[in-house]
Amino acid sequence: MKIIAIGRNYADHAKELNNPLPSAPVFFMKPDTAIVKNNKPFFLPDFSEDIHHEVEIVLHLNRVGKNISEQFAHRYYTEIGIGIDFTARDLQNKCKDKGLPWEIAKAFDNSAPIGKFLPKEQFSDFNNINFRLDINGIAVQKGNTRDMIFSFDKLVSYVSRYVTLKMGDLLFTGTPAGVGPVKIGDRLQAYIEDECLLDFYVR
Ligand code: MG
């Protein structure tokens, strides 16, 4: 399986990093070795001094698909969850300055903790899902999917033009404003609406 992650899908986050708003989705990938499950701790890597949290709604893809039309894109995901797109911001800034790919900043081991998934039927409107990240009990990122520049279906459709989607793939749909560094001892708790679906410590 693979993880596809969308960048700059919330205008307020693009703004906080001084990035222009995209006219088409920006995506990158993480390997399966990035996944952390079951609320296992995240160990700070030694190659970065500035690991940032990015809380994101995650789609669990359940069908093989290529060139999926936006109209039918909803058939390709069954579950919705939440995850963290950990980013080595110092390395990413160096990559950006040099016009290089972002992999060392985004695709490293354990950079994608994911929580429990919920059946999509549980949601009445995919464009009105509240989610947030608390660190040590304080809300640091709050988002609502209505603020996405590109909807879930638009993202699935767009990515599938370039990359075949397969059963078990994950799509991280972008982070709202409020990203920032994590440190050893922090407790991260990610919520969809009022349900905590991911709860782990930084070690
Ligand atoms: Mg992200």
Side-chain angles (χ1 to χ4, degrees), residues 5-7 13 28 54 56 85 87 106 172 174-175:
I6 306 297
H13 169 64
F28 58 90
E54 296 189 359
E56 311 198 3
D85 165 21
T87 304
K106 286 285 197 182
F172 278 62
T175 197

Side-chain angles (χ1 to χ4, degrees), residues 8-47:
R8 305 173 187 174
N9 199 27
Y10 286 80
D12 55 354
H13 169 64
K15 224 177 279 172
E16 75 180 343
L17 295 187
N18 293 317
N19 290 316
L21 291 189
S23 52
V26 173
F27 75 90
F28 58 90
M29 297 211 263
K30 293 177 185 251
D32 56 4
T33 42
I35 291 178
V36 185
K37 286 181 182 171
N38 303 322
N39 294 327
K40 293 220 174 84
F42 170 73
F43 291 91
L44 271 187
D46 59 8
F47 48 73

Side-chain angles (χ1 to χ4, degrees), residues 38-101:
N38 303 322
N39 294 327
K40 293 220 174 84
F42 170 73
F43 291 91
L44 271 187
D46 59 8
F47 48 73
S48 170
E49 300 302 315
D50 197 23
I51 297 286
H52 276 203
H53 55 80
E54 296 189 359
V55 70
E56 311 198 3
I57 294 288
V58 182
L59 305 183
H60 189 250
L61 301 161
N62 69 315
R63 276 175 74 172
V64 175
K66 172 80 183 160
N67 288 321
I68 301 164
S69 74
E70 197 179 329
Q71 188 188 356
F72 297 120
H74 66 95
R75 296 183 182 175
Y76 289 80
Y77 52 93
T78 44
E79 294 180 310
I80 294 174
I82 198 158
I84 309 293
D85 165 21
F86 275 123
T87 304
R89 196 70 71 202
D90 44 357
L91 301 184
Q92 189 195 28
N93 287 336
K94 281 185 197 160
C95 293
K96 281 187 189 171
D97 288 347
K98 295 179 183 164
L100 293 172

Side-chain angles (χ1 to χ4, degrees), residues 95-168:
C95 293
K96 281 187 189 171
D97 288 347
K98 295 179 183 164
L100 293 172
W102 297 355
E103 267 77 358
I104 60 165
K106 286 285 197 182
F108 56 88
D109 286 352
N110 306 317
S111 60
I114 50 170
K116 202 180 107 185
F117 282 81
L118 303 171
K120 71 175 181 188
E121 291 73 26
Q122 203 169 314
F123 300 88
S124 55
D125 182 358
F126 295 160
N127 292 311
N128 186 14
I129 300 173
N130 286 297
F131 62 105
R132 73 171 202 272
L133 175 67
D134 288 3
I135 298 188
N136 304 323
I138 294 162
V140 292
Q141 286 191 270
K142 280 186 186 179
N144 184 295
T145 53
R146 79 167 82 86
D147 297 319
M148 290 189 297
I149 298 169
F150 305 106
S151 69
F152 294 163
D153 292 346
K154 182 79 112 186
L155 296 174
V156 168
S157 172
Y158 181 83
V159 171
S160 78
R161 283 170 59 191
Y162 302 93
V163 180
T164 299
L165 301 178
K166 294 175 93 170
M167 198 178 294

